[in-house]
């Protein structure tokens, strides 16, 4: 038996191809397909057990993508904008599941904005990926609520309304893991994705993902060209999972390190300035400054491990509620008899 | 015993938020403890404090517990409504009116007592705020004396409620005594008296929402999400209280349930579907406006075949309607809730016992049929106080339906989520977390085939829809059958459901006194089991009695049995007050007279 680890096989003996789903039906060159690729690679590298993963999505191009990765996981493609509530129910029914929520800017910033906010507020443990292209693709090119001011649609119409920044909103709502990335930057996206799985609570990843058909022209701020010009990475991201004992070779003072709940580490190598992702005010400032300077800060925007996740908050038993046998969920006969006696005498 | 003994109705008019509930419950319980059948109805406004509220207690030796329109004894405490409250009282009635309240002229064929409540309470309670709450206990004393209610039972009923607060108990007890003494000194006993009998022993008093919560508890609910809305909130709140007390794990003290107060009803039902899909016993409770919001998700659950238990505590619509008044007007919208060819299963609890039983059984049905089950309660059943036999402990196991485990999959070697394997049109499902390569499938509200794959195929779509229609046929054999009382040679058939049931025994007894015998069918579920058709065929004229304007149940029956549609007539009641036998009788009599004239 060979003791040399095979780089094509992960720690549970699967290849990257084992994490694929069915063939994508999106437009060739769609940013979402690149994100799917990063998800497959991240899941492979983490060695995720697919039967323990539940994929959840809403409606839209992005929400179709769970069909294209982790083909051996259960998936729930919900109604438009309401995936967060479904995710909340799934989590509470079985807290041992790893939840991935895939949504888009229409799904999360418009029709589902309320549910998005309340999911974050409750801190439901979900890796929540927003595949953000600023446009409604399936219905052929209407603006979404994340379209920047001054963006010109293919039809020539110009958006004058303020965009909703889901990362900033998530930070305000107490989210403990907020990151932004670009579908065309897998080197940044993959470690962020992997790190998101180590966070206990909601992790929000807003991934700019150009729509090649309706929003990739001049005048769009979410085109490949625009992203290449305005993407401003805060740092270089390396993720070291808890099951790997790797030292990263950086000079002292060059990096910041964040340790996750499960012992995994995120190593951030400084770029232009020393960005501290645990500083909440700074995170909001960097997003706001980006709006003014026409730069999009990407990377780990904010991280905090403090808040209780929903299942902890509700003091749930360790075993999944879904698998408790009858005798553990039906109180004994004496309980009913006592209640009935109380209702006879008025003391109940 | 005189003919009016144990046969009277007390009507108490107070101001919302004045704490009259303890007083009224004390009277109700004292009568109940004397063995007299009683029912209590709270007519309250959509308001926290300040608006008028009424409480009606009906005592009836024959066991009639529906609302009774004629009041025998009025307690008028509210200056805002005293004029109309008093004017509505009929000859022979007794009026207890707060001193100084505005009032119309009262003719001598009514007995009027003015009671100086303020003067009587002042020496008892120093604090003015407290006085407003305790003053109601004085009328408890007055009414007890007037009706001959055993003072010991009054004291027992009061202790039952306030026993844990000795100071409050003492104060309230003193107020009852003062009222009792005042009546003794200044009044005559009424012609209708409470006499001890034996028709309530071993029985309980409970409201339908509490009963439903108990049903869910013993049915093994593990997940509840809800959004506050009258009149369903007390179901969710009572269930949460029961879960907190009885569903902590013995070893760890941790919760074996989860309750979420959602941000709206869309989210509440979304969470239920998520939890159910993942294998929990999940439910929500709501009312009309909430159902409207749940619409899209319930269509999803029908098409993607996800169990869910949804309690609809009906109130008056359309729109906000009358949030604190009762109704049975959600039937048609619920039967077809959501777009497309959607059909839903409904249960109709008629009694608090039904609320308890369906509280459990709805889960079994939802998981067996893999579809939402709507339990169509209403405000009258849900929030008013009813007598019942004590609830039965469930000895039978639960039915979790067709769920395949990893071991099952290994044995069978194949799995298609939407394949009709057994011929009953109910497919098998797996839950996430099942450790077998065959277990996973993709749940979607878009077109799908037997393997749960996306498809727009012109063959697969109707195939799935036709199977769903067959599953609805299977539902007919699983839902509770109607209760039928077929009287040979009966002139007419009567059909009722839900809280309307309580006016029917009284109606039929009185029709019999008129010389008209009737058969009776209590509908308990939709789709209709076969007994319903048999009943319709067996009667030339069938009166469907219901509490809505548009004859909604009659419409469902006509749709289901078009060739029998001509037999169906309607008696409708929709003013928001619980239906009473008098109204049903007058509807039937008018229609029957027309029948005779046209012949």
């Amino acid at each position: 038996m060979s003791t040399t680890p095979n780089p094509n096989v992960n720690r549970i003996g699967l290849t990257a191809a084992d994490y694929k789903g069915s063939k994508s039906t999106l437009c060739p060159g769609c940013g979402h397909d690149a994100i799917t690729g990063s998800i497959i690679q991240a899941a492979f590298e983490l060695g995720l057990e697919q039967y323990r993963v539940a994929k959840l999505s809403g409606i839209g191009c992005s929400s179709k993508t769970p069909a294209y990765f982790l083909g051996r996981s259960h998936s729930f493609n919900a109604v438009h904008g309401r995936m967060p509530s479904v995710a909340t129910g799934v989590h509470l029914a079985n807290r041992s599941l790893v939840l991935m929520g895939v949504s888009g800017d229409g799904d999360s910033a418009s029709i589902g904005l309320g549910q998005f906010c309340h999911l974050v507020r409750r801190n439901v443990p979900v890796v929540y990926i927003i595949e953000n292209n600023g446009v409604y693709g399936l219905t052929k090119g209407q603006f979404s609520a994340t379209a920047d001011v001054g963006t010109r649609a293919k039809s020539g119409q110009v958006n004058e309304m303020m965009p909703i920044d889901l990362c900033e909103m998530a930070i305000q709502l107490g989210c403990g893991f907020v990151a932004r990335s670009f579908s065309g930057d897998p080197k940044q996206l993959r470690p962020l994705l992997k790190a998101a799985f180590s966070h206990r609570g909601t992790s929000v990843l807003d991934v700019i993902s150009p729509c090649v058909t309706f929003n990739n022209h001049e005048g769009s701020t979410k085109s490949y060209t625009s992203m290449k010009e305005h993407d401003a990475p805060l740092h270089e991201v390396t993720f070291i999972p808890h099951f790997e004992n790797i030292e990263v070779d950086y000079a002292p003072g060059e990096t910041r390190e964040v340790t996750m709940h499960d012992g995994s580490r995120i190593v951030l190598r400084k770029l232009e300035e020393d960005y501290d992702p645990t500083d909440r005010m700074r995170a909001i400032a960097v997003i706001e400054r980006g709006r003014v300077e026409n730069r999009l800060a990407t990377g780990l925007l904010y991280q905090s491990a403090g808040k209780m996740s929903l299942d902890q908050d509700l003091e749930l038993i360790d075993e999944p509620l879904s698998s408790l046998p009858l005798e553990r969920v039906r109180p004994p006969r004496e309980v009913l008899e006592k209640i009935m006696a109380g209702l006879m005498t008025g003391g109940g | 015993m005189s003919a009016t003994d144990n046969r009277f109705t007390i009507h108490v008019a107070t101001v919302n938020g004045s704490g009259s509930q303890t007083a009224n419950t004390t009277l109700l319980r004292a009568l109940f403890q004397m063995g007299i059948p009683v029912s209590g109805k709270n007519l309250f406004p959509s308001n926290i404090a300040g608006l008028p509220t009424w409480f009606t207690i009906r005592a009836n030796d024959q066991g009639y517990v529906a609302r009774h329109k004629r009041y025998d004894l009025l307690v008028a405490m509210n200056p805002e409504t005293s004029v109309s409250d008093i004017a509505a009282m009929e000859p022979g009635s007794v009026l207890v009116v707060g001193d100084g309240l505005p009032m119309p002229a009262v003719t001598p064929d009514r007995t009027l007592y003015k009671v100086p409540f303020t003067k009587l309470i002042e020496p008892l309670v120093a604090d003015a705020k407290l006085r407003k709450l305790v003053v109601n206990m004085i009328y408890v004393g007055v009414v007890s004396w007037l009706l001959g209610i055993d003072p010991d039972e009054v004291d027992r009923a009061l202790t039952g409620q306030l026993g844990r607060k000795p100071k409050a108990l003492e104060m309230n007890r003193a107020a009852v005594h003062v009222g009792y003494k005042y009546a003794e000194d200044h009044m005559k006993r009424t012609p209708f008296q409470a006499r001890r009998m034996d028709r309530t022993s071993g029985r309980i008093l409970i409201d339908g929402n509490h009963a439903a919560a108990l049903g869910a508890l013993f049915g093994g609910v593990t997940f509840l999400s809800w959004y506050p809305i009258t009149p369903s909130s007390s179901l969710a709140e009572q269930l949460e209280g029961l879960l907190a007390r009885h569903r902590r794990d013995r070893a760890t003290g941790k919760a074996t349930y989860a309750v979420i107060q959602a941000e709206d009803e869309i989210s509440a039902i979304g969470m239920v579907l998520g939890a159910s899909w993942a294998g929990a016993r999940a439910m929500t409770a709501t009312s009309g406006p909430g159902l409207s919001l749940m619409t899209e998700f319930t269509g999803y659950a029908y098409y993607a075949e996800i169990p869910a238990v949804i309690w609809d505590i009906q109130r008056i619509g359309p729109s906000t309607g009358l949030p604190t008044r009762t109704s049975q007007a959600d039937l048609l919208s619920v039967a077809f809730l959501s777009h497309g060819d959607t059909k839903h299963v409904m249960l109709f609890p008629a009694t608090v016992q039904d609320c308890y039983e369906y509280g459990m059984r709805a889960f079994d049905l939802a998981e067996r049929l893999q579809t939402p089950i709507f339990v169509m309660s209403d405000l009258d059943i849900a929030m008013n106080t009813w007598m019942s036999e004590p609830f039965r402990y469930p000895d039978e196991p639960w039915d979790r339906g067709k769920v395949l485990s990893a071991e099952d999959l290994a044995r069978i070697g194949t799995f298609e989520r939407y394949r009709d394997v057994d011929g009953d049109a109910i497919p098998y499902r797996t839950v996430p977390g099942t450790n077998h390569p065959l277990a996973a499938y993709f749940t979607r509200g878009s077109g799908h085939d037997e393997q749960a794959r996306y498809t727009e195929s012109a063959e697969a779509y109707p195939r799935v829809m036709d199977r769903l229609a067959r599953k609805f046929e299977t539902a007919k054999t699983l839902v509770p059958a109607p209760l039928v009382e077929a009287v040979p040679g009966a002139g007419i058939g009567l059909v009722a459901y839900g809280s309307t049931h309580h006016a029917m025994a009284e109606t039929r007894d009185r029709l019999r006194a008129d010389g008209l015998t009737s058969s009776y069918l209590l509908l308990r579920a939709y789709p209709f089991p076969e007994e319903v058709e048999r009943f319709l065929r067996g009667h030339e004229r069938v009166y469907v009695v219901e509490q809505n304007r548009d004859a909604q149940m009659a419409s469902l029956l006509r749709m289901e049995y078009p060739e029998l549609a001509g037999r169906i007539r309607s008696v409708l009641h929709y003013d928001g007050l619980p239906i009473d036998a008098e109204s049903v009788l007058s509807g039937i009599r008018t229609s029957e007279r027309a029948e005779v004239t046209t012949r």
Side-chain angles (χ1 to χ4, degrees):
Chain A
M1 236 212 257
S2 166
T3 49
T4 323
N6 179 352
N8 297 323
V9 169
N10 67 8
R11 62 184 179 126
I12 60 164
L14 297 180
T15 64
D18 293 326
Y19 287 89
K20 287 187 174 169
S22 56
K23 199 174 161 291
S24 170
T25 59
L26 301 174
C27 310
C30 178
H32 298 356
D33 283 336
I35 300 173
T36 294
S38 285
I39 291 171
I40 290 168
Q41 191 61 29
F44 162 70
E45 286 169 16
L46 286 173
L48 286 185
E49 296 270 19
Q50 291 186 57
Y51 77 92
R52 289 187 55 232
V53 176
K55 302 173 289 179
L56 305 135
S57 61
I59 293 288
C61 294
S62 57
S63 291
K64 291 180 164 207
T65 63
Y68 315 144
F69 58 83
L70 275 66
R72 295 183 204 168
S73 297
H74 274 75
S75 194
F76 193 126
N77 180 202
V79 298
H80 200 8
R82 318 299 178 198
M83 171 267 280
S85 61
V86 174
T88 307
V90 173
H91 164 65
L92 292 173
N94 187 346
R95 63 188 295 199
S96 71
L97 294 173
V98 175
L99 302 196
M100 291 183 70
V102 180
S103 182
D105 37 311
D107 203 55
S108 281
S110 285
I111 189 167
L113 185 62
Q115 292 218 344
F116 170 76
C117 291
H118 285 277
L119 176 106
V120 172
R121 195 180 145 250
R122 292 191 181 100
N123 205 18
V124 182
V126 183
V127 176
Y128 196 105
I129 302 159
I130 302 142
E131 305 190 345
N132 184 354
N133 56 19
V135 78
Y136 283 80
L138 273 179
T139 52
K140 307 208 184 298
Q142 300 82 3
F143 281 128
S144 87
T146 63
D148 292 306
V149 175
T151 299
R152 195 170 48 77
K154 232 180 163 179
S155 62
Q157 194 191 346
V158 175
N159 174 51
E160 299 294 351
M161 277 177 268
M162 269 300 272
I164 290 173
D165 191 308
L166 293 171
C167 285
E168 191 172 341
M169 193 170 263
I171 294 168
Q172 286 166 349
L173 290 164
C175 189
F177 186 102
V178 182
R180 179 169 277 145
S181 191
F182 169 41
S183 63
D185 185 1
K187 253 189 83 195
Q188 183 192 52
L189 178 55
R190 277 180 210 167
L192 286 173
L193 270 169
K194 287 196 278 182
F197 282 100
S198 291
H199 178 67
R200 214 196 138 75
T202 309
S203 40
V204 169
L205 274 110
D206 180 40
V207 188
I208 309 302
S209 173
C211 172
V212 287
T213 306
F214 294 108
N215 209 11
N216 199 32
H217 49 273
E218 202 175 321
S220 158
T221 58
K222 291 186 171 58
S223 65
Y224 281 111
T225 317
S226 173
M227 270 311 288
K228 277 179 185 140
E229 279 167 19
H230 303 290
D231 186 357
L234 293 164
H235 32 232
E236 267 177 36
V237 187
T238 307
F239 177 74
I240 303 164
H242 62 90
F243 54 82
E244 276 175 16
N245 195 12
I246 297 172
E247 286 309 315
V248 190
D249 194 17
Y250 286 127
E254 237 188 333
T255 60
R256 277 184 176 273
E257 211 174 280
V258 174
T259 306
M260 309 295 287
H261 288 100
D262 62 358
S264 302
R265 291 176 297 149
I266 308 171
V267 182
L268 304 169
R269 193 172 75 87
K270 290 174 203 172
L271 292 175
E272 283 166 43
E273 51 184 318
D274 182 13
Y275 181 75
D276 176 6
T278 64
D279 182 343
R280 197 156 167 264
M281 301 301 282
R282 177 95 182 265
I284 291 171
V286 100
I287 293 169
E288 286 297 326
R289 204 173 54 209
R291 282 192 209 263
V292 179
E293 293 173 359
N294 195 18
R295 282 150 45 99
L296 194 69
T298 58
L300 181 61
L301 288 167
Y302 181 63
Q303 193 276 343
S304 154
K307 211 174 139 193
M308 273 202 287
S309 60
L310 182 62
D311 51 331
Q312 294 172 313
D313 191 28
L314 295 179
E315 297 182 356
L316 286 200
I317 191 164
D318 289 341
E319 301 113 290
L321 295 180
S322 57
S323 62
L324 295 174
L326 181 59
E327 59 273 18
R328 292 186 61 193
V329 295
R330 174 176 286 167
R333 183 181 300 273
E334 306 82 74
V335 170
L336 183 68
E337 283 169 356
K338 216 176 140 197
I339 293 170
M340 289 299 115
L343 293 167
M344 281 176 209
T345 58
Chain B
M1 212 187 265
S2 104
T4 50
D5 284 346
N6 291 347
R7 215 173 276 188
F8 51 79
T9 302
I10 311 166
H11 192 53
V12 181
T14 51
V15 179
N16 197 27
S18 69
S20 52
Q21 201 187 344
T22 314
N24 298 329
T25 306
T26 301
L27 283 170
L28 181 80
R29 284 214 154 267
L31 289 163
F32 173 76
Q33 286 158 201
M34 287 177 73
I36 308 163
V38 283
S39 61
K41 295 203 187 296
N42 191 9
L43 184 65
F44 60 106
S46 181
N47 157 262
I48 292 168
L51 287 183
T53 177
W54 294 269
F55 193 85
T56 305
I57 298 169
R58 182 179 190 185
N60 187 279
D61 57 342
Q62 294 154 292
Y64 299 152
V65 289
R67 186 168 75 94
H68 193 233
K69 271 183 165 174
R70 190 198 136 94
Y71 307 129
D72 301 296
L73 172 66
L74 169 74
V75 178
M77 300 291 285
N78 185 355
E80 297 288 325
T81 63
S82 55
V83 172
S84 55
D85 288 337
I86 293 165
M89 296 299 288
E90 290 179 35
S93 60
V94 176
L95 288 62
V96 175
V97 179
D99 207 11
L101 256 58
M103 54 185 300
V106 175
T107 53
D109 53 1
R110 295 152 174 86
T111 310
L112 171 69
Y113 296 116
K114 290 191 182 179
V115 180
F117 286 106
T118 319
K119 222 179 79 195
L120 293 173
I121 194 71
E122 263 168 9
L124 289 183
V125 185
D127 181 68
K129 238 168 141 184
L130 215 52
R131 215 179 273 156
K132 257 175 74 184
L133 301 178
V134 183
V135 69
N136 293 310
M137 282 299 158
I138 295 186
Y139 75 66
V140 172
V142 170
V143 170
S144 308
W145 191 85
L146 280 171
L147 296 174
I149 302 173
D150 186 340
D152 290 341
E153 295 298 357
V154 173
D155 199 67
R156 242 182 83 203
L158 187 63
T159 313
Q161 293 182 82
L162 297 175
R164 282 175 217 128
K165 302 173 196 160
K167 253 179 91 178
L169 177 63
E170 262 341 286
M171 204 182 292
N172 283 279
R173 193 178 258 160
V176 174
H177 285 311
V178 165
Y180 197 84
K181 185 79 182 46
Y182 182 85
E184 199 173 20
D185 294 345
H186 297 85
M187 304 178 189
K188 278 203 315 223
R189 300 257 196 202
T190 60
F192 24 91
Q193 290 289 295
R195 312 257 184 225
R196 196 170 280 281
M197 61 189 301
D198 189 21
R199 286 206 56 178
T200 67
S201 76
R203 305 185 106 188
I204 58 166
L205 279 179
I206 191 170
D207 64 79
N209 275 349
H210 190 184
L214 284 169
L217 174 71
F218 288 94
V221 65
T222 43
F223 184 83
L224 163 72
S225 56
W226 65 292
Y227 184 77
I229 182 169
T230 305
S232 73
S233 303
S234 69
L235 199 174
E237 283 171 332
Q238 294 189 87
L239 178 52
E240 189 169 9
L242 288 167
L243 290 167
R245 272 196 296 287
H246 303 295
R247 285 280 296 281
R248 289 270 167 182
D249 181 57
R250 282 214 188 117
T252 59
K254 294 274 184 77
T256 60
Y257 67 93
V259 177
I260 295 278
Q261 186 187 314
E263 60 270 28
D264 57 33
E265 287 91 344
I266 301 175
S267 186
I269 186 69
M271 290 180 197
V272 166
L273 296 195
S276 240
W277 178 77
R281 286 212 135 174
M283 66 175 278
T284 185
T286 189
S287 191
L291 274 174
S292 293
L293 286 178
M294 292 181 183
T295 301
E296 188 185 12
F297 256 135
T298 60
Y300 184 102
Y302 170 77
Y303 190 39
E305 302 183 62
I306 299 172
V309 171
I310 302 163
W311 281 78
D312 175 17
I313 316 299
Q314 295 170 87
R315 68 187 213 189
I316 286 252
S319 191
T320 307
L322 309 178
T324 61
R325 298 296 149 85
T326 197
S327 167
Q328 294 181 315
D330 291 350
L331 262 63
L332 283 175
S333 56
V334 168
F336 309 109
L337 197 66
S338 197
H339 57 276
D341 283 329
T342 301
K343 294 201 264 192
H344 295 298
V345 177
M346 298 186 280
L347 306 182
F348 306 108
T351 61
V352 287
Q353 183 103 36
D354 286 348
C355 289
Y356 171 73
E357 294 288 342
Y358 298 176
M360 293 183 270
R361 199 161 168 185
F363 287 117
D364 290 353
L365 282 168
E367 292 183 332
R368 172 57 48 186
L369 287 163
Q370 298 176 25
T371 200
I373 302 291
F374 290 84
V375 192
M376 307 297 288
S377 180
D378 61 47
L379 184 141
D380 187 20
I381 288 221
M383 292 190 73
N384 285 323
T385 309
W386 304 85
M387 289 187 311
S388 173
E389 292 301 323
F391 301 153
R392 179 192 63 89
Y393 187 77
D395 290 307
E396 58 284 353
W398 57 8
D399 179 5
R400 306 276 346 236
K402 300 184 184 180
V403 182
L404 297 175
S405 64
E407 293 73 34
D408 294 333
L409 291 168
R411 185 167 40 80
I412 302 164
T414 172
F415 169 58
E416 290 171 285
R417 171 63 181 99
Y418 295 116
R419 173 78 60 196
D420 178 10
V421 177
D422 301 329
D424 57 3
I426 305 171
Y428 284 82
R429 65 179 183 132
T430 57
V431 296
T434 305
N435 187 5
H436 192 281
L438 283 173
Y441 67 95
F442 201 98
T443 305
R444 45 164 58 94
S446 47
H448 47 265
D449 61 12
E450 284 76 3
Q451 288 87 38
R453 292 178 306 207
Y454 178 78
T455 178
E456 295 173 9
S457 149
E459 286 78 40
Y461 172 77
R463 216 165 52 225
V464 170
M465 288 304 284
D466 290 343
R467 181 180 55 75
L468 285 171
R470 287 203 310 280
K471 191 168 82 165
F472 213 60
E473 291 300 309
T474 301
K476 291 179 180 174
T477 65
L478 298 175
V479 296
L483 297 181
V484 183
E485 201 189 313
V487 178
I492 55 171
L494 303 183
V495 172
Y497 60 95
S499 65
T500 304
H501 170 63
H502 298 280
M504 299 313 288
E506 193 174 355
T507 298
R508 294 178 64 217
D509 288 350
R510 288 176 63 184
L511 283 174
R512 200 174 302 123
D514 285 1
L516 183 60
T517 53
S518 57
S519 296
Y520 178 51
L521 181 138
L522 175 65
L523 270 173
R524 300 205 295 165
Y526 175 83
F528 306 123
E530 56 178 20
E531 291 89 338
V532 178
E533 181 175 354
R534 215 174 303 144
F535 186 85
L536 291 179
R537 287 199 186 281
H539 299 86
E540 238 175 86
R541 295 189 302 285
V542 175
Y543 289 91
V544 180
V545 187
E546 51 188 321
Q547 302 182 62
N548 58 62
R549 184 195 65 183
D550 290 347
Q552 299 194 15
M553 184 64 88
S555 304
L556 285 177
L557 287 165
R558 288 194 185 102
M559 274 173 74
E560 186 69 24
Y561 311 110
E563 73 285 8
L564 299 170
R567 300 175 174 223
I568 297 169
R569 284 141 181 72
S570 283
V571 176
L572 305 170
H573 181 91
Y574 49 92
D575 62 5
L577 303 176
I579 195 166
D580 60 285
E582 195 61 49
S583 302
V584 183
L585 272 168
S586 93
I588 294 173
R589 280 174 182 152
T590 310
S591 177
E592 283 293 297
R593 265 198 299 274
E595 207 68 51
V596 173
T597 5
T598 50
R599 265 181 209 172

